[in-house]
Amino acid sequence: MRTLHLSCWMAFQNGRFVKLSARAAMTAGTAAVIALVLAPTAEANWSSSITAASVSFESRRWSDELYSQILFTGCHTDSGVTKSTDVQMWHDISFQSDDSYDNKTFTACFNGGTSNGEWTDLGSGMKDVYFKIMKIGGSTFGPQLTVNSVSIDTTKADG
């Protein structure tokens, strides 16, 4: 059985190695473990906003459980005349082309309401699901989209 002598730990400080006391070594080790435990993960449900996004904007990734719902509230563009945006769900696959799912056209969020897109044909326990802005105002180029509130929900228990 190996024994670790904490009093022998070294740290690099001010351009040279210095010996750490057992207490300092323990504190540093504990801080490293806490940082690992608190590292961010791909959350299933989250909320955010979008500012001045162009076509092909990709959201952050999340883990999915067969069902995903995307809600946009407070949509507007820099042109002020656009009244729709197309949103498509994707599955990010490393070193391959990503799988795409249905495209939804969101309009209610431009008129004071909330646009709601639901995808129910997603695989169980998928990682790295995201949405992409495919069109803004029916066009694949042009205005930039701002959304005051974006919500992702992967639980259909909401009714």
Side-chain angles (χ1 to χ4, degrees):
M1 182 170 160
R2 276 191 170 168
T3 304
L4 176 64
H5 297 282
L6 294 178
S7 61
C8 295
W9 281 30
M10 303 292 281
F12 195 71
Q13 190 176 58
N14 295 330
R16 59 189 169 94
F17 283 100
V18 295
K19 194 181 233 185
L20 291 177
S21 69
R23 176 181 251 168
M26 183 61 76
T27 301
T30 302
V33 168
I34 290 171
L36 258 170
V37 169
L38 298 178
T41 59
E43 294 180 41
N45 300 324
W46 54 271
S47 296
S48 189
S49 62
I50 299 172
T51 303
S54 298
V55 168
S56 295
F57 167 86
E58 294 182 2
S59 71
R60 73 184 201 197
R61 275 52 173 166
W62 69 89
S63 296
D64 191 82
E65 298 299 327
L66 296 174
Y67 168 89
S68 274
Q69 179 181 33
I70 300 174
L71 302 168
F72 279 16
T73 305
C75 300
H76 62 276
T77 63
D78 55 351
S79 71
V81 296
T82 301
K83 298 295 180 193
S84 70
T85 188
D86 287 19
V87 178
Q88 189 168 21
M89 185 76 69
W90 292 80
H91 178 211
D92 188 343
I93 303 172
S94 298
F95 308 112
Q96 297 180 40
S97 298
D98 293 349
D99 286 340
S100 63
Y101 295 87
D102 293 343
N103 187 78
K104 314 281 185 185
T105 300
F106 286 3
T107 57
C109 64
F110 288 90
N111 302 315
T114 298
S115 293
N116 177 23
E118 296 181 8
W119 285 261
T120 58
D121 56 350
L122 304 172
S124 177
M126 284 194 331
K127 306 254 188 257
D128 298 326
V129 178
Y130 66 99
F131 68 84
K132 185 189 285 190
I133 302 297
M134 303 305 292
K135 292 182 182 177
I136 300 173
S139 178
T140 56
F141 63 92
Q144 292 186 314
L145 175 69
T146 295
V147 183
N148 294 337
S149 175
V150 176
S151 296
I152 305 300
D153 184 0
T154 62
T155 58
K156 195 170 172 91
D158 306 319

